[in-house]
């Protein structure tokens, strides 16, 4: 595998289900991100992990629970979602120098998981 | 106020022609970076090109170039010799120095290349 991979690519779940999205990066990066992309809206940053530590939670509801066990893997645990949570969920990774970000740091994205909540 | 504005929801271009996708930005941070990404229907965001606020030259990457006009706060993407495979959504994004974790995206422009 190369780049950033995400599984599953498509997910349909009921509001009472619990599911998890998985992201894996094969780029040797040390920062990982979750984004939400809804129709007609800009990409919204959800969570940021630097060196496995969460550094940003962009006011995301608690029904979304991220987990970063190591620098290569990122999960998004989902429970009791709402229909308005249906969206494309994108994972990204980047390389931070010595834990400090730079404006030129490039994020590389995975193919996303298309989530439909019924 | 929106940080990144892409005023063209859709653009059409004929194959082999050049096309310019507009992007304006708003920041008071003197240090920032500007990015363009391509998103085909498959969903993946593909990094195309980067321009730093202190870069003297406009960025170029193959058929992609960035027309950076700092005083006007614009960072337009120019695609030369369009190909059918260029049909996709294109997003402009910015990162400011005061919060380098956050990449701020515009709403995107859908480009369709026709034969």
């Amino acid at each position: 595998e190369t780049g950033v991979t995400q599984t599953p690519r498509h997910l349909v779940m009921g509001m009472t289900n619990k599911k998890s999205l998985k992201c894996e990066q094969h780029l040797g990066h040390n920062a990982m991100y979750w984004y939400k992309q809804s129709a007609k809206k800009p990409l919204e940053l959800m969570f940021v992990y630097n060196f496995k530590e969460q550094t940003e939670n962009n006011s995301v509801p608690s029904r979304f629970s991220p987990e970063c066990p190591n620098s290569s893997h990122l999960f998004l645990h989902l429970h009791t979602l709402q229909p308005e949570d249906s969206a494309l969920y994108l994972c990204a990774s980047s390389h931070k120098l010595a834990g400090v970000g730079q404006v030129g740091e490039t994020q590389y994205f995975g193919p996303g998981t298309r989530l439909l909540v019924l | 106020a929106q940080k990144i504005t892409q005023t063209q929801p859709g653009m059409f271009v004929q194959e082999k022609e050049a096309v310019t996708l507009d992007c304006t930005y708003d920041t008071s941070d003197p240090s920032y970076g500007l990015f363009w990404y391509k998103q085909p229907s498959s969903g993946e965001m593909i990094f195309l090109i980067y321009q730093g606020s202190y870069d003297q030259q406009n960025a170029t990457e193959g058929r992609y170039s960035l027309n950076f006009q700092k005083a006007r706060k614009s960072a337009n993407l120019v695609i030369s010799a369009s190909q059918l495979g260029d049909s996709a959504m294109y997003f402009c994004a910015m990162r400011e120095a005061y919060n380098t974790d956050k990449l701020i995206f515009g709403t995107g422009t859908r480009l369709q290349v026709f034969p």
Side-chain angles (χ1 to χ4, degrees):
Chain A
E1 296 277 18
T2 58
V4 181
T5 58
Q6 289 186 242
T7 55
R9 294 295 310 275
H10 301 270
L11 180 61
V12 180
M13 59 187 288
M15 289 192 284
T16 57
N17 291 157
K18 289 185 180 181
K19 296 285 185 184
S20 295
L21 310 185
K22 179 184 175 183
C23 174
E24 184 174 358
Q25 60 93 2
H26 309 268
L27 300 168
H29 289 165
N30 46 34
M32 297 187 78
Y33 310 79
W34 279 116
Y35 286 87
K36 176 183 179 182
Q37 187 178 27
S38 306
K40 312 269 188 221
K41 291 173 73 174
L43 254 75
E44 301 170 62
L45 179 66
M46 300 174 72
F47 301 104
V48 181
Y49 278 82
N50 291 322
F51 296 94
K52 300 187 298 176
E53 298 299 318
Q54 188 181 117
T55 55
E56 179 128 5
N57 176 336
N58 199 23
S59 303
V60 181
S62 60
R63 57 186 184 269
F64 295 90
S65 174
E67 178 190 0
C68 188
N70 54 60
S71 293
S72 299
H73 294 86
L74 185 64
F75 295 88
L76 189 63
H77 303 299
L78 316 172
H79 62 98
T80 58
L81 294 192
Q82 304 298 311
E84 60 265 28
D85 297 323
S86 299
L88 179 67
Y89 288 85
L90 289 159
C91 173
S93 70
S94 68
H95 179 69
K96 288 195 179 292
L97 296 175
V100 177
Q102 299 184 14
V103 293
E105 173 191 312
T106 300
Q107 292 182 15
Y108 294 89
F109 286 78
T113 296
R114 290 194 185 275
L115 174 67
L116 177 62
V117 182
L118 301 176
Chain B
Q2 285 191 28
K3 292 268 189 176
I4 295 286
T5 302
Q6 294 181 253
T7 57
Q8 307 154 314
M11 290 283 286
F12 287 89
V13 66
Q14 189 165 33
E15 203 176 4
K16 299 178 186 174
E17 297 294 309
V19 63
T20 298
L21 306 183
D22 295 342
C23 173
T24 57
Y25 59 91
D26 182 28
T27 181
S28 56
D29 198 328
S31 178
Y32 53 90
L34 297 157
F35 301 78
W36 276 92
Y37 284 85
K38 170 185 178 182
Q39 187 179 40
S41 56
S42 57
E44 183 176 357
M45 297 283 274
I46 301 166
F47 166 68
L48 297 178
I49 196 166
Y50 163 76
Q51 179 85 45
S53 59
Y54 292 118
D55 292 344
Q56 296 296 314
Q57 307 267 4
N58 283 347
T60 60
E61 287 286 349
R63 295 186 298 111
Y64 304 108
S65 60
L66 206 152
N67 184 0
F68 181 46
Q69 297 188 43
K70 195 170 182 176
R72 298 178 64 179
K73 293 190 173 178
S74 76
N76 298 339
L77 177 71
V78 180
I79 304 174
S80 63
S82 297
Q83 301 171 358
L84 296 177
D86 293 335
S87 295
M89 284 290 290
Y90 287 81
F91 292 91
C92 180
M94 175 176 67
R95 177 185 285 111
E96 297 164 299
Y98 85 94
N99 185 353
T100 55
D101 280 344
K102 202 158 193 170
L103 196 55
I104 305 161
F105 284 82
T107 51
T109 295
R110 180 171 296 283
L111 176 66
Q112 295 190 54
V113 181
F114 60 94

